[in-house]
Amino acid sequence: MPTKREQRLTEQAKVKETFVLDDAKISGNKIYVWAGLGALVLAGMVVFFVKAGQPTPFNVAGVCLSAESFHIHPHLSITVNGENQVIPKGIGVASPTCIRPLHTHETDGVLHVEFEYKRDFTLGEFFQVWGKTFTKDQILDFKKDATHDLTLTVDGLPTQDFDNLILKDQQKIVINYSAKAK
């Protein structure tokens, strides 16, 4: 039969063993917490670098030119039921100190595409700056339907690019809305 002192030492040893086991459990849990935090940081870094490699959305109608090193001049003609539509001068001229990268100076159909670096601009972005509708199914207020067709040609060749057409220097872009042939 153990003495009281031996019983106390045995109880203290059991208590001490419990604390050691609890500390081990806590240490094990800390490893999981740190591993989880590390995984979150790594995932965040991956998302950041993937996003950094992608182009940011560009609102051409909200940008003012600050410099110009890229400058091209495509030509746009719009015909509705046989009538040439005037493309107004001053499209994209928000104020004397704010000119959009896509703009016009005259009513001659010449589009000025200017920017601080070479970038692909689209015909849809020009219409965005103009504030007019242009899709594969509509030009201005004229919608393609059972009796009317909408076509787009570039340098005399038909294309289906419509608002996604990338603008290039000296292009001859013709949008034609007309009655379908019977």
Side-chain angles (χ1 to χ4, degrees):
M1 179 160 193
T3 65
K4 285 192 174 201
R5 182 178 190 294
E6 290 173 336
Q7 283 179 338
R8 244 182 306 146
L9 287 174
T10 303
E11 288 173 16
Q12 286 175 348
K14 286 181 184 176
V15 168
K16 187 175 183 181
E17 184 179 305
T18 301
F19 282 125
V20 168
L21 288 174
D22 286 346
D23 283 348
K25 286 180 188 174
I26 290 171
S27 292
N29 289 341
K30 283 182 185 175
I31 290 171
Y32 291 122
V33 168
W34 283 109
L37 286 173
L40 284 173
V41 168
L42 182 61
M45 288 173 59
V46 167
V47 168
F48 173 79
F49 285 110
V50 166
K51 287 233 177 228
Q54 296 175 348
T56 56
F58 186 80
N59 178 9
V60 72
V63 173
C64 298
L65 284 175
S66 59
E68 171 201 332
S69 67
F70 175 66
H71 193 153
I72 62 171
H73 297 103
H75 184 271
L76 175 62
S77 298
I78 302 172
T79 305
V80 174
N81 295 321
E83 282 188 40
N84 287 331
Q85 303 298 297
V86 174
I87 298 163
K89 73 178 187 176
I91 294 171
V93 180
S95 74
T97 59
C98 180
I99 298 177
R100 306 290 182 219
L102 298 163
H103 59 274
T104 61
H105 292 291
E106 302 297 331
T107 59
D108 56 6
V110 173
L111 309 184
H112 292 258
V113 182
E114 304 171 25
F115 204 54
E116 48 204 60
Y117 56 85
K118 185 175 181 344
R119 176 192 181 277
D120 288 338
F121 287 92
T122 66
L123 188 55
E125 287 177 313
F126 173 75
F127 279 91
Q128 179 187 351
V129 169
W130 189 4
K132 300 291 184 182
T133 301
F134 177 58
T135 67
K136 66 181 180 59
D137 297 315
Q138 183 176 345
I139 179 66
L140 309 173
D141 294 327
F142 303 93
K143 293 183 181 179
K144 183 176 169 179
D145 58 24
T147 60
H148 291 87
D149 207 2
L150 180 64
T151 61
L152 173 66
T153 60
V154 178
D155 297 326
L157 300 172
T159 181
Q160 296 299 310
D161 290 339
F162 289 91
D163 56 333
N164 292 317
L165 176 73
I166 294 174
L167 299 174
K168 296 184 177 158
D169 197 30
Q170 303 301 312
Q171 274 176 319
K172 303 290 184 233
I173 303 165
V174 178
I175 301 169
N176 186 36
Y177 176 86
S178 60
K180 289 185 178 181
K182 295 181 182 185

